[in-house]
Amino acid sequence: MAGKKGARGKGKGKATKSAVPDVYQDMLSEALPTQSEIPERPLKRRRTGRRDSQVAHISPAASPVEEDEDLEFEDVLDTSLQEDFEGEQDVPAKRQQTAYRDSDEESEDSDGEWQGLNLDGEPEADEPSGDLDLTLVKKPVPQIKAPTVRRRLVSKAEKVERLEKHKMHVLCLLSHLDMRNDWCNDSEVQKSLRPLLDKKMLTFLRPKSTLSQFGQADSLKRGLDQVAIMWRTKFSITARGLRRALWADDEKDLQNFKIDDGEAFDKSDFRAAAKTLKGSRDLGAQLFCALLRSADVDTRLVCSLQPLSFNAGGPAMPKYKPPTPRKTTPDTNDTGQSSEIPGMNFQFGSPSGLAASNLPPRRRLGHPNATAYHMPEMSTPPRPPPKPKAKPIHESDYPIFWVEVFDSAHQKWFPVDPLVTESISKPRSFEPPASDRENNMSYVIAFEDERCARDVTKRYVKAYNAKTRKNRVESTPGGERWWRRAMRPYKHGFTSDADQIEDTELAANEAREPMPKNIADFKDHPYYALERHLKRNEILVSTRECGKVAAGRDASVPGGKKLESIFRRKDVKIAKSADAWYRLGREVKVGEQPMKTVPAKRRPDDIDEDGGNDFEERAGVNLYTEEQTEVYEPPPIVNGRVPKNSYGNLDVYVPSMVPMGGVHIKDDETSRAARLLSIDYSDALTGFSFRGRHGTAILQGAVIAAEYREAVEAVIEGFRDERAQAEEARRSNAAVRMWKLLLLKLRIKKRVDGYRDEDEEDDEVEIEDDDEEEEEVYVDDGDKGDDDGYGGGGFFPE
């Protein structure tokens, strides 16, 4: 191995003298095998040329170099130094010394590094003589990539369930906000907060009507600025407020999930917080609203609702991590106090209160006469319990609750946030980024003191149609109607001038929204569309584009960017098949060509019995727009004969499909009445009930000629009267049976009572008299002794 003292002699001549004693040479010859017994290995060639790695020069007398598993050594032995040493010391040549490793740490790959090196060869003339060269090469550490966590896919049924839970959560949050808004109107709360406003603040908050429009608005904002500064100094944030609700990818994440219940209080706690001025940021905004209302300032309580999202994307609840046990130091116990260490000496006794006599006196005090002095035992006072450190509150940099103040001079509402953003009339500073896990702005609801609410989301978001609308219920089928019904209980009974101005302002904010800059925002956009996002039944009727959007890089295009055309959503039309238009009461015009042909969907029965996919491909479905159709006109009724289809029914999907001269009576007994009157009729097919891929026809009433309508309706009315009479007769019969049963029971009772004679009646009277006598005996006092000899056990003589 490299680094050992001395050198290995490879000379062929015999040395005359050796520096090693003969005793040690004999021991080595017995312990080690001879040179002939060592298997020959291929010689290794010496590496020539300049080396890139660092080369260390170590003298022969240097200390051995420690082996390092991460380093590779290449040893090159120079024999010129050995020849010089032999010339000076006349050391005889020795055979090559070989040692074997006790462990098998060296792998087979390491043997390959010595191949090609001639250890027995003579050194070349141009080789530099001197020290041993070691080449240090550090092995690169392989980098372990962190496993990518894939989100769980959401099924169609789970999407429907998420949407229902989203709606329920929104309704619960609206009710919660309505309750907090009502608490802000509490007279006791406002009475507790009113002394915080001085006379100067009230003067600014109530500007005089003689001031100009600008002067009134400036006075109100200056007063709000002073009140906000005062509120930041008075109110202390000690709890966590409302945050964004997230879905859990695994049910295990919901185990041991703790909900911050610091804000779960009733109205009495809200009144107490108005006096202590401590709580969360949300509570601070609510009390700030009550403070402004106490000064007769028109104030709204605004909240950004944080419901569960119904979309598959978005952040998920963090994974649950079990708590790690706290390591206790040997000098402290679980309570944080110092534990007893036996065998230690203290100047005034042991801290545990043990007697000092356990140790020798001289060892305790170090004085020979210390045993004659009685040292009182003293214990160290217990340490006070450590004060719990307040946990830092990590929340979003954007608020959940804030207020809006009405500027009567401009008839506008503007936001005020005294705690988080510390801004006045800056609505664009309230929207959090999409990467914020604690806050997401999708519904912004403002409640007035009259418990009326308005949706003011468009005032605060920057891309309502491109981003925010996708997280709202309006983006789902039937969602706009549901949202109107949800907000109906909180609407004004009338529309004021301020409401009309606000509606105009919100509409202007939506109109000023710029065109999206990325492709993902164009999907389901209400005003713009890309051809790649068109659905199966959507057709672009106009090729006039309204802009371009970057869709990647393309070297063949000038500029290196691939641009995609943007079209208006109004140029996208819905196309349907001829059968779909027929069910809507329309038919394709004669000679119209289909606007689009889509391939037929594959069905499970299209697969061969052998399991292959070699089936005859069905023809595609032709789609037509509404402009290519007209209202369907069924064949008329002639001479009372109603037309029928091959199944004996008449398709009446919409009222316009009733044939001319006929009438559709939806009563289920229409066909029975028509048969009774011998009138031609046809059952009305109004639709299909689908369960899976198979649909069942829904028949509702029948179609008859218009001249027989009165007769059929009269017969149907007679059927109803007959059913009413039958029902009345059934009820009468049931009542008669009940009365008959009652009379029978009374008759049986009367007969049973007539069986008793006079002797039984006398016996009953005597029994009643005996009971009265026994009661009198119990009432009598017990002062008399037991002289009469009857003293046994509570029995009385007859």
Side-chain angles (χ1 to χ4, degrees):
M1 194 66 185
K4 292 184 179 182
K5 297 181 180 180
R8 299 177 182 179
K10 300 294 186 300
K12 298 181 181 180
K14 185 176 180 181
T16 59
K17 188 178 181 180
S18 176
V20 182
D22 299 336
V23 178
Y24 293 106
Q25 291 184 3
D26 296 338
M27 295 173 63
L28 291 175
S29 61
E30 293 176 0
L32 298 177
T34 60
Q35 184 71 20
S36 59
E37 295 177 356
I38 301 175
E40 295 184 359
R41 298 176 60 184
L43 299 180
K44 300 181 181 179
R45 292 180 301 177
R46 186 176 185 273
R47 298 184 181 180
T48 59
R50 185 176 181 180
R51 300 177 182 177
D52 298 333
S53 58
Q54 185 178 0
V55 179
H57 299 279
I58 303 176
S59 61
S63 60
V65 181
E66 297 181 358
E67 295 182 2
D68 192 354
E69 295 181 358
D70 295 337
L71 301 178
E72 296 181 359
F73 295 86
E74 296 182 0
D75 300 348
V76 179
L77 186 62
D78 195 349
T79 58
S80 60
L81 182 62
Q82 180 182 352
E83 295 177 354
D84 298 338
F85 183 81
E86 290 177 355
E88 297 175 1
Q89 301 291 339
D90 295 334
V91 180
K94 298 182 295 183
R95 6 175 233 181
Q96 183 178 3
Q97 183 177 350
T98 307
Y100 293 93
R101 300 175 60 92
D102 296 335
S103 61
D104 53 353
E105 294 176 357
E106 190 172 0
S107 61
E108 296 178 359
D109 296 339
S110 61
D111 297 339
E113 299 177 359
W114 298 90
Q115 295 179 4
L117 181 61
N118 187 7
L119 299 178
D120 297 332
E122 294 293 335
E124 299 179 0
D126 57 348
E127 288 185 357
S129 62
D131 301 334
L132 182 66
D133 295 339
L134 297 180
T135 303
L136 307 179
V137 179
K138 190 174 182 180
K139 294 182 179 179
V141 179
Q143 297 181 357
I144 302 176
K145 296 183 179 180
T148 57
V149 180
R150 295 185 178 181
R151 295 292 303 275
R152 183 173 58 88
L153 298 178
V154 180
S155 61
K156 185 177 181 181
E158 191 173 354
K159 288 182 180 179
V160 176
E161 182 182 358
R162 284 192 174 192
L163 180 59
E164 295 300 325
K165 292 181 180 179
H166 173 84
K167 294 179 180 179
M168 181 61 66
H169 199 181
V170 169
L171 294 178
C172 294
L173 291 175
L174 285 175
S175 177
H176 168 74
L177 182 57
D178 183 24
M179 180 183 61
R180 291 299 177 95
N181 177 69
D182 184 41
W183 290 358
C184 295
N185 296 330
D186 186 62
S187 58
E188 185 175 346
V189 174
Q190 295 183 2
K191 184 178 179 180
S192 302
L193 298 174
R194 179 67 181 274
L196 298 177
L197 300 176
D198 55 13
K199 186 176 181 181
K200 183 179 180 181
M201 295 179 184
L202 293 175
T203 303
F204 283 120
L205 292 176
R206 301 171 184 174
K208 298 181 180 180
S209 58
T210 57
L211 296 176
S212 62
Q213 185 180 28
F214 175 79
Q216 295 181 16
D218 183 66
S219 175
L220 178 61
K221 292 182 179 180
R222 290 178 63 183
L224 291 174
D225 189 20
Q226 295 181 8
V227 175
I229 295 174
M230 179 273 300
W231 188 251
R232 283 194 292 272
T233 58
K234 297 288 185 181
F235 189 82
S236 301
I237 300 177
T238 59
R240 186 186 182 93
L242 188 66
R243 54 179 168 176
R244 183 179 182 180
L246 303 175
W247 290 98
D249 290 340
D250 193 356
E251 294 183 0
K252 297 180 181 179
D253 299 338
L254 296 176
Q255 299 176 1
N256 303 323
F257 178 73
K258 297 181 180 180
I259 302 176
D260 298 334
D261 54 353
E263 289 296 310
F265 50 74
D266 53 6
K267 194 172 185 179
S268 60
D269 298 329
F270 189 79
R271 292 174 177 175
K275 299 178 181 179
T276 59
L277 299 180
K278 293 181 180 180
S280 64
R281 303 188 313 185
D282 302 345
L283 181 60
Q286 296 162 16
L287 294 177
F288 186 74
C289 177
L291 175 65
L292 295 180
R293 289 180 181 177
S294 66
D296 298 332
V297 178
D298 292 338
T299 310
R300 283 175 172 175
L301 180 62
V302 187
C303 176
S304 175
L305 306 183
Q306 304 294 319
L308 285 166
S309 176
F310 58 89
N311 293 325
M317 184 180 295
K319 299 293 183 181
Y320 170 72
K321 296 181 180 179
T324 57
R326 189 180 66 176
K327 297 181 179 179
T328 58
T329 57
D331 57 341
T332 58
N333 51 17
D334 296 339
T335 60
Q337 299 180 358
S338 60
S339 60
E340 180 184 356
I341 303 177
M344 290 189 64
N345 301 332
F346 295 88
Q347 183 179 1
F348 298 103
S350 61
S352 59
L354 298 176
S357 60
N358 294 336
L359 300 175
R362 296 187 178 185
R363 185 179 180 186
R364 290 204 312 271
L365 298 178
H367 196 275
N369 297 328
T371 55
Y373 178 77
H374 177 70
M375 177 65 96
E377 296 183 2
M378 300 180 62
S379 60
T380 58
R383 295 182 181 179
K387 297 182 179 180
K389 296 182 179 180
K391 295 183 179 180
I393 301 175
H394 300 285
E395 291 186 279
S396 174
D397 297 334
Y398 299 86
I400 302 293
F401 279 86
W402 63 92
V403 299
E404 283 185 352
V405 178
F406 184 69
D407 182 8
S408 58
H410 294 87
Q411 294 291 306
K412 291 178 60 178
W413 294 88
F414 60 90
V416 179
D417 179 28
L419 296 177
V420 184
T421 60
E422 302 178 4
S423 61
I424 297 178
S425 187
K426 294 181 179 179
R428 294 301 183 183
S429 61
F430 288 81
E431 184 181 11
S435 59
D436 196 341
R437 295 178 56 91
E438 303 290 336
N439 193 351
N440 179 37
M441 183 172 287
S442 55
Y443 301 89
V444 181
I445 310 299
F447 269 85
E448 300 181 11
D449 54 355
E450 299 175 356
R451 305 187 70 174
C452 300
R454 288 181 65 85
D455 184 7
V456 294
T457 311
K458 298 177 182 178
R459 175 178 297 151
Y460 297 96
V461 297
K462 303 174 183 177
Y464 177 80
N465 294 314
K467 298 182 181 297
T468 308
R469 187 176 179 272
K470 296 180 181 180
N471 297 326
R472 293 170 60 99
V473 73
E474 289 97 327
S475 61
T476 61
E480 295 183 359
R481 181 172 176 270
W482 183 90
W483 180 242
R484 287 195 299 268
R485 291 180 58 190
M487 294 296 294
R488 188 178 302 168
Y490 307 106
K491 290 188 65 176
H492 277 290
F494 60 94
T495 303
S496 62
D497 296 340
D499 295 339
Q500 295 180 2
I501 295 175
E502 188 174 19
D503 293 338
T504 305
E505 177 189 357
L506 297 179
N509 290 342
E510 183 181 4
R512 286 196 300 267
E513 180 181 341
M515 185 181 295
K517 296 182 180 180
N518 53 57
I519 295 178
D521 293 342
F522 281 98
K523 189 174 183 180
D524 298 331
H525 196 280
Y527 298 111
Y528 305 102
L530 297 179
E531 191 173 0
R532 64 166 67 186
H533 292 154
L534 295 182
K535 298 180 182 179
R536 178 185 174 93
N537 60 338
E538 291 180 346
I539 297 176
L540 190 63
V541 296
S542 177
T543 57
R544 181 181 179 183
E545 59 185 29
C546 61
K548 295 279 189 180
V549 62
R553 295 188 175 276
D554 189 0
S556 61
V557 180
K561 290 185 178 181
K562 182 181 179 181
L563 301 179
E564 190 170 346
S565 301
I566 304 174
F567 304 94
R568 297 190 179 275
R569 179 63 64 176
K570 64 180 182 180
D571 295 335
V572 178
K573 301 295 182 181
I574 302 296
K576 300 179 183 294
S577 62
D579 185 40
W581 284 120
Y582 176 72
R583 295 182 182 181
L584 294 176
R586 305 183 69 87
E587 63 177 351
V588 181
K589 298 178 182 178
V590 179
E592 290 290 343
Q593 298 296 325
M595 296 289 295
K596 186 178 182 180
T597 301
V598 296
K601 294 183 179 180
R602 180 174 298 183
R603 300 177 181 176
D605 52 0
D606 292 336
I607 302 177
D608 297 343
E609 298 179 355
D610 300 337
N613 296 331
D614 298 335
F615 64 95
E616 184 178 356
E617 185 176 358
R618 297 189 304 272
V621 180
N622 298 327
L623 302 182
Y624 304 88
T625 59
E626 187 176 3
E627 290 76 9
Q628 295 177 292
T629 61
E630 59 185 2
V631 179
Y632 171 73
E633 294 183 1
I637 297 177
V638 180
N639 298 329
R641 306 296 296 179
V642 181
K644 303 177 181 63
N645 56 17
S646 58
Y647 297 95
N649 305 323
L650 183 62
D651 299 333
V652 188
Y653 299 110
V654 292
S656 61
M657 298 184 70
V658 177
M660 185 179 298
V663 62
H664 178 208
I665 301 177
K666 298 182 179 181
D667 197 281
D668 294 337
E669 294 185 344
T670 305
S671 58
R672 179 186 173 191
R675 287 196 301 269
L676 184 63
L677 297 175
S678 301
I679 297 174
D680 187 26
Y681 71 96
S682 177
D683 293 329
L685 176 63
T686 58
F688 291 90
S689 176
F690 288 94
R691 292 184 178 179
R693 297 189 59 86
H694 300 280
T696 304
I698 300 176
L699 302 177
Q700 184 179 11
V703 177
I704 60 174
E707 57 266 21
Y708 302 126
R709 177 174 185 175
E710 295 180 0
V712 173
E713 290 179 349
V715 173
I716 293 174
E717 188 66 24
F719 291 156
R720 294 173 182 171
D721 294 341
E722 289 181 357
R723 286 198 303 270
Q725 291 177 5
E727 181 68 19
E728 186 66 24
R730 187 186 64 80
R731 294 177 59 188
S732 299
N733 294 336
V736 169
R737 286 194 301 270
M738 294 175 65
W739 278 108
K740 183 178 180 181
L741 181 61
L742 177 61
L743 293 175
L744 180 61
K745 292 181 179 180
L746 292 176
R747 204 176 285 175
I748 293 173
K749 183 179 182 302
K750 183 177 181 181
R751 183 180 297 178
V752 172
D753 293 343
Y755 291 155
R756 295 190 301 179
D757 53 4
E758 297 179 357
D759 297 337
E760 293 180 355
E761 294 178 358
D762 295 340
D763 294 340
E764 292 179 359
V765 173
E766 291 178 359
I767 293 172
E768 293 177 358
D769 296 341
D770 294 342
D771 294 340
E772 293 177 358
E773 291 177 0
E774 291 177 0
E775 292 176 0
E776 292 177 359
V777 171
Y778 278 108
V779 173
D780 190 8
D781 56 353
D783 294 341
K784 297 180 181 182
D786 298 336
D787 299 338
D788 48 1
Y790 299 96
F795 295 94
F796 298 94
E798 296 181 358

